[in-house]
Amino acid sequence: MTFTPSVLVCAYSEIALKGKNRPVFQRRLLNAMRSALAGEPVATINHVESRYLVRLEDPSRADACAEKLSRVFGLRWFSPAIAVGRTDPGADLARAGDEAVRLAIRDVGDAASFKVDTRRSDRSYPVDSQEISRRIGTAVGAAIGLPARMTNPDFTVHVLVLREAILVFTARRDGAGGLPPSSSGRICCLLSGGIDSPVAAWMLMRRGCRPVLVHVHGGRSFAEADTGKVVELARILATWSPVPLTLWMVPVVPYEERAMDHVDDSHDMIMFRRFMVKTGQVLARRESCMGLVTGDSLGQVASQTLPNLAAIGPDLELPVLRPLVGLDKETITEYSRRIGAYETSVQPYRDCCSLRSPHPVLHARPDRLLELSSLMDLDGAVADATASATKLVVDADGLQKTMLPDPSRTSSG
Ligand code: ATP
Ligand code: MG
């Protein structure tokens, strides 16, 4: 047998539905897989019959590689495969059938129906796909005592006939789904220290966006602020990204100094949010982002009533995307756990949002917000805040690089 390496079979999600652009999506997925598996003993990654086959030189790394692939957007499922070397069709299929039975017994769970799905990459193989499925299906059905069902089976055993071997596998692990990284463009995500906004950023990452994170902190300068928790959230998001993530740290003080004499308590929260989205917009432009993302969920808190969400940016030029708008807290929390952010998100943190007055207007009027904005010189606050913002680059290991010096830090010595 010439086919010795261990193989992970990966299936992609929506890419299969793409028309002419499919090769572009496939290339991005392949790049993301390569980058996730950097440093692992990967011999080759080949595209065969709508699957990616990752051949490993060292089978003992299969689980570690599977773990890494589970964070690659664009993969629907993946599975380690058993490779049966080819000799003659009768003997091969009997052995592939034995392996299929073994896997089916191990993985069938509480399924009530099954199917054998066969694809031949080697079309010269003397037995056709249907006949292979029929033969192996008979053996599997007898072993697990379930009826075969061709449409919507609960459980599938896959058989892939290659020139050198026959692969047998079940879809053992769910992938992250969505679209491959970099297939949708850049987006600016307003990241608080809470549960919602990391989920919102992750959802857009799952749609192929590269996020640029922006956090407004309570200090006068980055050096003064206690931002460890937010950096940790950025690190967690970076574990889902093939590249390190940019995180802008913006001081709130320019807003507070100007709002103090002009903004009444009932408008403070919503004006602060205007400050955040307008600051986000400036940084988004700087980073070539096409929109803003927030973790707003309709009606979750008083500042997120429909009139308030609608009123916040009458003068905004970029679209504000709110991927959580229709989700309840329970569902958002489930996502947060799945992402791995929950334990960090629930740590105490004095977000500058929590320092705002607790009783905002429920029906903010856009004209009133514009009036307050010019009274307090909101644009001046945004200009000051972005001028003294600090840019970090955070990778999955938590290493961070400061890209720009914080001017307030340098000027104060
Ligand atoms: P989260 O759980 O993400 O903190 P939340 O339910 O607490 O959200 P708010 O605090 O009202 O909601 O904030 C709504 C959205 O505004 C957040 O999801 C986030 O996108 C943005 N936001 C809030 N605070 C900040 C901040 N300090 N810096 C940047 N963006 C923020
Ligand atoms: Mg919050």
Side-chain angles (χ1 to χ4, degrees):
M1 179 172 121
T2 55
F3 196 92
T4 46
S6 151
V7 182
L8 285 165
V9 182
C10 308
Y12 37 73
S13 45
E14 292 162 51
I15 298 176
L17 305 174
K18 303 286 170 202
K20 279 204 199 108
N21 291 329
R22 194 186 303 169
V24 178
F25 285 90
Q26 285 170 337
R27 206 165 42 242
R28 293 195 166 132
L29 177 58
L30 187 58
N31 287 343
M33 290 171 68
R34 287 213 173 100
S35 134
L37 296 175
E40 294 293 346
V42 174
T44 54
I45 304 182
N46 296 113
H47 188 242
V48 179
E49 298 293 310
S50 304
R51 312 269 187 246
Y52 280 105
L53 305 187
V54 180
R55 298 176 200 220
L56 300 178
E57 276 152 1
D58 176 1
S60 72
R61 295 300 299 166
D63 283 348
C65 290
E67 189 56 39
K68 291 178 177 176
L69 289 174
S70 72
R71 286 168 182 264
V72 174
F73 293 119
L75 289 180
R76 188 152 68 93
W77 55 257
F78 50 92
S79 181
I82 308 285
V84 173
R86 276 178 53 177
T87 48
D88 76 90
D92 302 345
L93 290 183
R95 282 188 298 134
D98 290 346
E99 295 297 350
V101 164
R102 217 165 49 78
L103 290 185
I105 291 171
R106 186 189 71 183
D107 296 338
V108 66
D110 53 10
S113 61
F114 83 102
K115 168 184 175 173
V116 175
D117 176 87
T118 303
R119 297 180 189 203
R120 286 184 313 164
S121 158
D122 176 8
R123 306 247 191 268
S124 70
Y125 195 72
V127 185
D128 73 18
S129 301
Q130 258 190 340
E131 176 60 16
I132 297 173
S133 291
R134 200 191 56 74
R135 283 197 215 170
I136 295 182
T138 305
V140 170
I144 59 179
L146 291 182
R149 196 197 296 154
M150 291 308 108
T151 47
N152 294 327
D154 295 337
F155 174 68
T156 303
V157 177
H158 300 265
V159 176
L160 179 56
V161 180
L162 306 176
R163 217 151 22 87
E164 331 81 326
I166 298 175
L167 301 184
V168 185
F169 51 97
T170 53
R172 298 253 13 234
R173 265 184 88 153
D174 285 340
L179 297 174
S182 301
S183 49
S184 298
R186 291 162 78 103
I187 198 96
C188 175
C189 300
L190 293 174
L191 185 71
S192 71
I195 293 174
D196 305 328
S197 48
V199 175
W202 182 87
M203 283 194 162
L204 270 290
M205 290 170 76
R206 187 152 87 140
R207 299 312 298 164
C209 291
R210 172 142 164 209
V212 169
L213 308 170
V214 172
H215 177 69
V216 178
H217 62 73
R220 183 166 291 277
S221 68
F222 173 57
E224 232 179 52
D226 171 20
T227 50
K229 175 179 179 183
V230 176
V231 172
E232 174 58 9
L233 288 172
R235 185 199 68 75
I236 292 164
L237 289 172
T239 65
W240 295 89
S241 165
V243 290
L245 298 185
T246 296
L247 168 61
W248 280 94
M249 291 291 194
V250 181
V252 72
V253 173
Y255 166 80
E256 286 176 342
E257 283 173 350
R258 287 175 175 78
M260 205 164 20
D261 296 331
H262 302 286
V263 177
D264 54 289
D265 277 1
S266 67
H267 281 93
D268 180 37
M269 175 71 93
I270 191 127
M271 286 301 291
F272 169 68
R273 294 162 73 88
R274 265 179 68 64
F275 166 74
M276 285 197 301
V277 287
K278 294 202 74 166
T279 301
Q281 179 166 265
V282 171
L283 295 173
R285 285 262 152 72
R286 213 181 270 178
E287 298 278 358
S288 312
C289 296
M290 288 180 276
L292 299 169
V293 178
T294 72
D296 295 317
S297 160
L298 188 57
Q300 192 189 78
V301 287
S303 58
Q304 295 172 26
T305 62
L306 186 55
N308 282 351
L309 293 184
I312 188 127
D315 51 351
L316 273 187
E317 284 152 25
L318 289 180
V320 180
L321 306 181
R322 299 180 169 98
L324 313 185
V325 74
L327 301 184
D328 55 31
K329 197 77 186 187
E330 210 171 63
T331 311
I332 299 170
T333 302
E334 271 168 36
Y335 274 109
S336 171
R337 288 187 197 279
R338 169 167 175 210
I339 295 166
Y342 183 76
E343 298 303 330
T344 304
S345 284
V346 295
Q347 299 296 318
Y349 178 60
R350 266 170 75 82
D351 183 24
C352 42
C353 231
S354 64
L355 305 177
R356 312 267 66 86
S357 152
H359 299 296
V361 283
L362 299 179
H363 296 260
R365 288 196 349 255
D367 54 343
R368 179 68 184 137
L369 297 183
L370 290 175
E371 206 172 68
L372 286 171
S373 302
S374 63
L375 263 177
M376 68 161 278
D377 185 19
L378 183 65
D379 289 342
V382 169
D384 278 1
T386 49
S388 55
T390 301
K391 179 174 177 171
L392 308 180
V393 174
V394 181
D395 72 13
D397 296 323
L399 299 175
Q400 45 168 301
K401 208 161 51 175
T402 307
M403 305 298 288
L404 293 181
D406 187 284
S408 56
R409 192 157 69 178
T410 32
S411 63
S412 65

